């Protein structure tokens, strides 16, 4: 059994302030209140497993729900995995114990919830999360450069999208953030819209006739007419904004953690979250995003690594090592990290660049054992 602590810790959720009365008097507060007839219920908790652990598929997860009163006030315990009941036990015991085989459990983060019913008919809930991962790691890829195109070395690239042979680019830095429409083959900015000097621009995505752009720490995004960059409206989110892409249904946002957020584009309502992981741990520092033929591709910030993610489970299916794209002579003092992934669906061409880089590279991923540049 392989156990590893990952980023999210288990947490306890009390459904309400729970109590049972030994007498007829209701609970009360304040001076002169008689609390001698009130007995508050004991909180149940997961003794095992600890929240935030990782299990390799095929492991058995040992569950133990303990009760502070030795189970005397417990009438029933139900355990749910992702809201589906997987275990029921009658009360009167100090602990409820069982094992869950993970052979048929899907990869990814799973929420386990125990619901304890007491003799008073009150209930309590406790929740934990664990991660189920594969035994084998992601496939490894390098790349082959097909060609390269000049890129504005003053562009602090935060987001990159291709459509109809043209490039939309979001740039960052306070006072210099823009959204651009670029003839990338000519390195010519056809159209641009500057952000407020107090806004640090981040990822961009195209949805129909609209262009979306995030900000880093303002927790505010912008929707433009993609043909004019006229601002249509703004939207808000509760985390930092890093990368953004569109899968044909949802906008997908990264915030530098291992979690991806799926939003409905029109009202920007949060639909779900997805924890990204490989066979070792959750994968943090997810940044620039691109949706490519059914997968989410993400740059891992401050590395030359791009990961290919299953959008249903969060599993990293493959890793691309993009090291060496720039020569030593091309790495100036101001040159920053790889940060720009784009896919032209019409031509099926894949492009990458970086912050303040002199080139946009068209590349082909190549299995690492036969990689050649």
């Amino acid at each position: 059994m392989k156990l590893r602590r990952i980023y999210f810790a288990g947490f306890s959720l009390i459904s309400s302030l729970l109590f049972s009365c030994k007498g007829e008097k209701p609970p009360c507060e304040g001076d002169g209140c008689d609390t001698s007839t009130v007995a508050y219920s004991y909180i149940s908790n997961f003794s095992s497993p600890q929240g935030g652990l990782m299990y390799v598929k095929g492991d058995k997860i040992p569950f133990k729900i303990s009760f502070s009163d030795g189970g005397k006030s417990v009438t029933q315990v139900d355990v749910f995995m992702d809201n589906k009941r997987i275990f029921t036990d009658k009360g009167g015991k100090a602990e409820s114990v069982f094992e869950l085989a993970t052979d048929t459990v899907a990869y990814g983060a799973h929420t386990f919830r125990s619901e304890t019913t007491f003799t008073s008919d009150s209930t309590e809930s406790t929740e934990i999360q664990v991660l189920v991962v594969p035994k084998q790691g992601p496939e490894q890829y390098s790349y082959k450069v097909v060609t390269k195109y000049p890129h504005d070395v003053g562009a602090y690239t935060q987001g990159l999208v291709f459509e109809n042979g043209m490039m939309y680019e979001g740039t960052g830095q306070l006072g210099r953030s823009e959204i651009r429409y670029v003839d990338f083959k000519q390195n010519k900015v056809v159209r641009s819209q500057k952000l407020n000097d107090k806004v640090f621009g981040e990822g961009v995505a195209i949805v129909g006739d609209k262009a979306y752009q995030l900000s880093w720490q303002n927790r505010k995004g912008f929707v433009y007419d993609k043909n004019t960059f006229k601002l249509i409206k703004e939207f808000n989110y509760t985390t930092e904004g890093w990368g953004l892409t569109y899968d044909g249904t949802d906008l997908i946002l990264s915030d530098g953690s291992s979690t991806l957020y799926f939003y409905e584009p029109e009202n920007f309502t949060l639909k779900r979250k997805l924890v990204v992981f490989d066979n070792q741990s959750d994968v943090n520092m997810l940044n620039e995003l691109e949706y490519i033929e059914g997968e989410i591709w993400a740059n891992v910030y401050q590395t030359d690594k791009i990961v290919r993610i299953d959008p249903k489970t969060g599993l990293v299916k493959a890793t691309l090592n993009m090291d060496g794209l720039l020569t030593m002579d091309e790495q100036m003092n101001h040159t920053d990290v790889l940060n720009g992934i784009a896919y032209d669906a019409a031509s099926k061409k894949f492009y990458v660049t970086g912050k303040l880089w002199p080139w946009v590279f068209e590349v082909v991923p190549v299995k690492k054992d036969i990689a050649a540049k």
Side-chain angles (χ1 to χ4, degrees):
M1 180 179 293
K2 183 178 182 180
L3 304 182
R4 187 186 299 269
R5 176 70 61 184
I6 57 176
Y7 90 101
F8 49 80
F11 58 94
S12 178
L13 173 66
I14 309 304
S15 56
S16 60
L17 179 60
L18 305 170
F19 58 87
S20 58
C21 295
K22 291 181 179 178
E24 296 180 355
K25 294 182 180 180
C28 58
E29 297 179 352
D31 295 338
C33 184
D34 180 6
T35 60
S36 61
T37 60
V38 178
Y40 290 95
S41 61
Y42 296 88
I43 298 174
S44 61
N45 66 84
F46 280 104
S47 300
S48 175
Q50 295 180 6
L53 286 181
M54 184 179 76
Y55 291 84
V56 173
K57 192 160 187 173
D59 289 345
K60 291 183 178 179
I61 304 177
F63 283 87
K64 184 185 293 185
I65 300 96
S66 301
F67 314 104
S68 300
D69 68 344
K72 295 177 182 179
S73 66
V74 176
T75 58
Q76 184 167 311
V77 179
D78 295 290
V79 178
F80 300 80
M81 181 179 75
D82 302 327
N83 294 320
K84 181 179 180 181
R85 184 185 284 108
I86 59 172
F87 175 77
T88 297
D89 194 16
K90 297 301 180 181
K93 307 173 186 176
E95 297 174 331
S96 289
V97 179
F98 71 101
E99 282 189 333
L100 175 68
T102 59
D103 303 81
T104 58
V105 174
Y107 295 133
H110 296 279
T111 299
F112 293 91
R113 183 181 80 255
S114 70
E115 289 191 357
T116 303
T117 304
F118 297 90
T119 53
S120 61
D121 290 331
S122 60
T123 61
E124 294 177 358
S125 294
T126 304
E127 287 189 3
I128 58 170
Q129 269 194 322
V130 300
L131 194 62
V132 177
V133 305
K135 294 180 180 179
Q136 295 183 334
E139 293 183 332
Q140 299 295 313
Y141 283 78
S142 184
Y143 63 91
K144 179 179 179 180
V145 174
V146 178
T147 188
K148 59 185 181 181
Y149 302 94
H151 179 247
D152 180 5
V153 293
Y156 194 79
T157 304
Q158 300 289 75
L160 208 63
V161 184
F162 270 77
E163 186 179 69
N164 299 324
M166 298 287 279
M167 184 174 80
Y168 291 84
E169 182 174 22
T171 67
Q173 300 286 25
L174 295 177
R176 297 173 56 191
S177 296
E178 294 183 343
I179 184 170
R180 299 173 167 185
Y181 183 57
V182 182
D183 182 345
F184 75 102
K185 291 184 178 180
Q186 304 297 323
N187 192 24
K188 179 181 178 182
V189 178
V190 178
R191 181 170 60 254
S192 66
Q193 176 62 52
K194 191 175 183 295
L195 276 67
N196 184 290
D197 285 349
K198 295 182 179 180
V199 175
F200 195 117
E202 286 284 348
V204 296
I206 302 299
V207 181
D209 59 358
K210 299 182 179 67
Y212 288 70
Q213 185 176 26
L214 302 176
S215 65
W216 177 27
Q217 294 180 318
N218 299 77
R219 301 192 176 189
K220 178 187 296 186
F222 310 93
V223 183
Y224 308 94
D225 181 315
K226 76 174 185 182
N227 297 309
T228 63
F229 287 156
K230 179 182 178 181
L231 182 64
I232 298 173
K233 63 179 178 180
E234 298 180 355
F235 57 92
N236 298 299
Y237 41 93
T238 59
T239 187
E240 289 187 353
W242 286 41
L244 190 68
T245 192
Y246 179 60
D247 67 1
T249 302
D250 299 324
L251 283 163
I252 307 168
L253 178 150
S254 67
D255 66 354
S257 70
S258 59
T259 300
L260 297 177
Y261 303 80
F262 290 69
Y263 288 90
E264 186 278 324
E266 187 60 33
N267 298 311
F268 216 74
T269 53
L270 180 63
K271 295 173 67 174
R272 68 183 178 106
K273 300 178 183 180
L274 182 71
V275 176
V276 176
F277 61 96
D278 57 20
N279 65 318
Q280 296 294 319
S281 68
D282 57 319
V283 178
N284 282 283
M285 302 296 281
L286 299 175
N287 194 11
E288 223 278 292
L289 305 176
E290 183 78 356
Y291 189 77
I292 302 176
E293 297 185 356
E295 296 178 342
I296 304 167
W297 292 39
N299 164 234
V300 180
Y301 183 53
Q302 294 186 332
T303 76
D304 291 316
K305 184 166 67 174
I306 293 172
V307 292
R308 290 168 41 193
I309 304 162
D310 184 330
K312 293 182 179 179
T313 65
L315 175 65
V316 174
K317 300 168 65 176
T319 297
L320 286 73
N321 183 354
M322 309 302 293
D323 182 45
L325 277 167
L326 294 181
T327 66
M328 292 298 295
D329 290 340
E330 291 169 334
Q331 297 180 38
M332 306 298 182
N333 290 334
H334 66 275
T335 305
D336 212 312
V337 296
L338 176 77
N339 195 55
I341 308 170
Y343 181 68
D344 188 342
S347 64
K348 297 189 180 300
K349 293 180 178 179
F350 174 51
Y351 301 89
V352 294
T353 190
K355 304 173 187 287
L356 311 174
W357 279 26
W359 306 106
V360 173
F361 295 89
E362 179 190 337
V363 299
V364 176
V366 181
K367 272 283 187 72
K368 198 167 184 178
D369 56 354
I370 57 172
K373 296 180 185 176

